[in-house]
Amino acid sequence: MSQFDPFTQNITILMPNGNGTGTVPFNISIPTIDHSFYYAVSVSMCYGFQIGACMMMLLMVLLLTKRTKYKSPVFILNVVALAMAVASRALLAVFFLSSWYEFYASSTSDWSRVTDSAKATSVASAIVPLLITILVNSSLVLQTRAVVIGVRPLYRHGIIAISVLVLLVAVGFRFTEMVTNVRAILYLETFDSWVWLIKGSLAAEMISIWFFCSIFTAKLVATVVARKKLGLPPWNPMYVLAVAGGCTMFVPGIFAIVECINPPNFPEAGSLAVITVVILLPLSSLWAQSNTVNQSVPLNIQQQLWASNSSRGVVCTCGGKSTNMSMFPSSGTSATYSSVVRTGHHETPRRDSTDADLESMGVRVHRTFSVRSA
C-alpha cells in the first residue's frame, strides 16, 4: 500500500461495443482528467481577458473619437473588428459549457449526443476569425495606402499591389482553415491532422501584420527624423504612431512565437496575437488624436527659419493646395498662437498639428484651399 499513489490511478468507464450488445471497459487516468479541467479553466480565463479588453477598447473608441471621424473607413473597420473579436471569444468560451466538453464525450471522443445548437455555435466560432482577419488586414491596407500617398507613383503602386497580395495570402490561409474546421464539426471528424494549418494561418497573419506595420513605421520614423532636423517639437502624433506601429509588430509576434513553442502552462497563446492587433490599432489612433487637440506652441521669433522685419502675405501652392500665409515679424519677444474657428456667435480656439508645425517655422496659416481634379 505504501507504493500505491491514488493521485495517478486509472478510472474505468464503460463504452458500448461495436454491435451494441455489451460494454467495453475504457481506462482514463486522474492526471488526464485534471489536465482537461486545467485546460478548460485556463483557456476560459484567456478568452475572458480578451473579451474584457476588447469591450473596454470599443467603449473608449466610441466615446473618445470625434464625431467627424465616425464615417471614416478605418474607424468603421476598427470598430467592427472589436465587436467581432468580442463575439468570437464569447463563442469560443461557450464551447466548454456545451455538450462537446461533457466528461464522457470529451474522454471517449463519442460525439453521438452533441446537440445541433452546439454544432452551430462551433461553426460560428470558426467563421468569425476569418472576418476578423479580413477587417484587420483591410484596415492595415488603408493605412499603408495613406502613408505612401506621397511616394513616387511607381513605388506607391508597387507597395499597394504587394500589400493586397499579402492580404490575400493571409485571408486564403484563414479561409482554408475555416472550411476544414467547419467540415470537421459538421461531420464529427477529428481535426488533429490539420493542426499545421492552424499554425500556418497564424504565421501568415503575423507576416502580414509585420509587413504592413514595417511600412508605415519606417515612413513615420523618417518623418520624425525630418521634424527633428527642422527643430520641431520632439513629441507629436508622428512619434505616437511610430511607437504604436512598433508595438503592433512586436507584441503580437511574441504571442505567435509562444504558440509555436506550445507551452503547457499557456494554452491558446496564439489567440492573443490577432486580438492584440485589434486592440492596438484604434488605441494608436486615439493616442495620436489626443496629441493634436489644444496644442499651443511657444515661438521664439529670433529662432524661426524664416523671419522678416515686417509682416507680409504669401500665397503658396503645393500638391494642389493654395494656402494664404503670413510671415511673423522679427522681434525679440515670444508669442503663442491658436487658430480660431467661428461657431455661431462664439469663437472656439482649435489647433491642428500641421498648423503647429508651420507656426514653429515662422508661418501662420490663415486660410487653406484644396483643389482636386475629377
Side-chain angles (χ1 to χ4, degrees):
M1 294 296 295
S2 61
Q3 297 179 353
F4 174 70
D5 187 358
F7 290 92
T8 59
Q9 65 177 312
N10 293 332
I11 296 177
T12 301
I13 58 178
L14 300 177
M15 298 176 57
N17 59 9
N19 53 23
T21 58
T23 59
V24 177
F26 178 82
N27 294 326
I28 182 172
S29 64
I30 290 182
T32 301
I33 299 174
D34 292 337
H35 176 73
S36 65
F37 290 153
Y38 169 81
Y39 178 81
V41 173
S42 300
V43 175
S44 298
M45 291 175 61
C46 181
Y47 291 153
F49 292 148
Q50 296 177 45
I51 293 172
C54 291
M55 291 182 67
M56 290 297 297
M57 181 54 60
L58 179 60
L59 183 62
M60 289 176 57
V61 170
L62 293 176
L63 292 178
L64 300 180
T65 303
K66 298 179 181 179
R67 298 289 182 180
T68 56
K69 300 290 185 181
Y70 275 18
K71 295 183 180 180
S72 64
V74 174
F75 172 81
I76 295 174
L77 290 174
N78 290 338
V79 169
V80 176
L82 286 169
M84 287 291 180
V86 173
S88 172
R89 281 8 185 195
L91 291 172
L92 290 172
V94 169
F95 169 83
F96 297 102
L97 300 176
S98 66
S99 54
W100 288 104
Y101 210 73
E102 292 179 353
F103 176 74
Y104 179 81
S106 60
S107 300
T108 63
S109 298
D110 184 356
W111 316 118
S112 58
R113 296 193 181 183
V114 174
T115 62
D116 292 338
S117 61
K119 293 180 182 178
T121 302
S122 297
V123 169
S125 66
I127 295 175
V128 175
L130 172 64
L131 302 179
I132 295 176
T133 300
I134 295 174
L135 292 170
V136 169
N137 284 273
S138 298
S139 177
L140 290 172
V141 168
L142 290 178
Q143 295 182 52
T144 302
R145 180 177 177 273
V147 166
V148 301
I149 196 68
V151 182
R152 294 180 180 180
L154 179 61
Y155 296 152
R156 182 173 68 251
H157 296 325
I159 292 174
I160 294 175
I162 297 175
S163 301
V164 175
L165 180 62
V166 172
L167 179 148
L168 293 177
V169 171
V171 173
F173 264 93
R174 180 59 69 178
F175 179 79
T176 305
E177 186 265 334
M178 182 268 293
V179 172
T180 307
N181 195 3
V182 170
R183 178 183 175 84
I185 293 171
L186 295 178
Y187 291 97
L188 301 177
E189 299 174 353
T190 180
F191 200 69
D192 296 338
S193 60
W194 296 97
V195 175
W196 65 270
L197 185 57
I198 298 177
K199 295 185 176 181
S201 300
L202 180 60
E205 290 175 350
M206 288 300 99
I207 292 173
S208 172
I209 292 168
W210 290 338
F211 172 79
F212 290 125
C213 293
S214 61
I215 290 177
F216 61 78
T217 300
K219 178 64 182 294
L220 291 171
V221 169
T223 304
V224 168
V225 173
R227 287 173 56 90
K228 187 175 182 180
K229 291 181 179 179
L230 292 174
L232 300 180
W235 187 259
N236 54 49
M238 291 299 180
Y239 268 84
V240 171
L241 294 176
V243 173
C247 293
T248 307
M249 280 192 295
F250 294 110
V251 175
I254 295 174
F255 293 116
I257 294 173
V258 173
E259 176 66 18
C260 294
I261 299 174
N262 195 20
N265 295 328
F266 197 171
E268 292 296 317
S271 64
L272 287 165
V274 179
I275 293 299
T276 305
V277 179
V278 174
I279 295 173
L280 287 177
L281 286 179
L283 178 62
S284 62
S285 299
L286 290 176
W287 190 9
Q289 177 182 302
S290 66
N291 281 269
T292 61
V293 179
N294 296 327
Q295 292 185 2
S296 183
V297 181
L299 300 177
N300 190 333
I301 307 304
Q302 292 179 341
Q303 298 177 354
Q304 300 308 313
L305 298 179
W306 300 289
S308 61
N309 293 328
S310 61
S311 177
R312 59 183 181 273
V314 179
V315 177
C316 175
T317 303
C318 179
K321 292 185 177 180
S322 177
T323 305
N324 181 16
M325 301 178 292
S326 66
M327 307 301 292
F328 288 161
S330 179
S331 174
T333 60
S334 298
T336 302
Y337 170 76
S338 295
S339 60
V340 177
V341 178
R342 184 178 297 275
T343 304
H345 298 288
H346 302 280
E347 292 184 347
T348 304
R350 190 178 63 186
R351 297 304 307 274
D352 183 83
S353 60
T354 304
D355 295 343
D357 295 344
L358 291 174
E359 183 179 340
S360 64
M361 294 185 293
V363 180
R364 176 178 295 172
V365 180
H366 292 293
R367 185 177 300 172
T368 300
F369 303 93
S370 179
V371 180
R372 298 180 181 273
S373 58

